[in-house]
Amino acid sequence: MSKLLTLLFGRLPIGWLQLSHNKGRLLAAVAGVAFANLLVFMQLGIMGALNGSTLAPYDLLNADIILSAQEGNTLTDSEHIARIRMFQALGTPGVASATSLYIGNLPFTLDDGTSVSLLTFGVDITKNSSLMPLLNL
C-alpha cells in the first residue's frame, strides 16, 4: 500500500505513516471518524423530525395563502388578526374563497394523571372548508 501511495503522491504524508505504523492507532482513528459521522446523522434525523412536526399542521390545510399575525412564526404562537383582513383578501381579484381558522391548545388529563395538550382546529363547517377532504363533513 505504501508503494502505491508513493507512486501516486511522490512522498507519503507523515500522518499516514504514523497511522499505518500502529494498527491500533489506525483503528482508533477510523472508529472516531465513524462515531462523529453517526452523531452528525443523528442530528440530521432529529432536525428532520422537528421540521416534519412543525409542518404537519400545514399539511391539513388546502390553502394557497395563509394570513397570520406579523410576530407569529408558526400556527400556534401567533396573535389574532382582525377579520377585516380576510374580507380585504376576498376583495382581491383571483381570491375565490376564505374562511377563518381557530387554533387552540386543549389541556387533557389521562386516567393515570398524566397531563397532555391537544392541538385543536376550529372552522366554520357551513362554508366550503379548506381542510383536507378526509376531514370535511
Side-chain angles (χ1 to χ4, degrees):
M1 183 71 170
S2 296
K3 290 181 182 181
L4 176 66
L5 290 174
T6 305
L7 288 174
L8 289 176
F9 298 120
R11 62 182 178 89
L12 288 177
I14 189 75
W16 173 253
L17 290 174
Q18 286 179 340
L19 285 176
S20 63
H21 178 71
N22 187 349
K23 301 297 180 192
R25 193 177 289 170
L26 177 63
L27 184 64
V30 170
V33 170
F35 183 68
N37 286 334
L38 176 72
L39 290 178
V40 167
F41 285 126
M42 285 180 58
Q43 284 182 329
L44 289 174
I46 291 170
M47 185 180 69
L50 288 173
N51 188 28
S53 66
T54 302
L55 295 177
Y58 293 100
D59 290 338
L60 294 174
L61 306 174
N62 182 17
D64 294 328
I65 296 174
I66 299 173
L67 300 178
S68 66
Q70 187 174 7
E71 66 275 353
N73 292 327
T74 63
L75 283 175
T76 58
D77 70 349
S78 65
E79 296 292 323
H80 301 289
I81 61 171
R83 188 182 296 264
I84 192 71
R85 300 293 179 218
M86 182 179 71
F87 294 120
Q88 286 175 344
L90 279 171
T92 305
V95 176
S97 66
T99 186
S100 298
L101 175 67
Y102 303 98
I103 302 172
N105 286 322
L106 179 68
F108 186 73
T109 305
L110 299 174
D111 291 336
D112 62 356
T114 306
S115 179
V116 294
S117 179
L118 301 175
L119 182 63
T120 57
F121 296 97
V123 292
D124 186 5
I125 60 172
T126 60
K127 294 183 179 179
N128 184 10
S129 176
S130 63
L131 291 176
M132 287 176 50
L134 296 174
L135 300 178
N136 285 338
L137 298 176

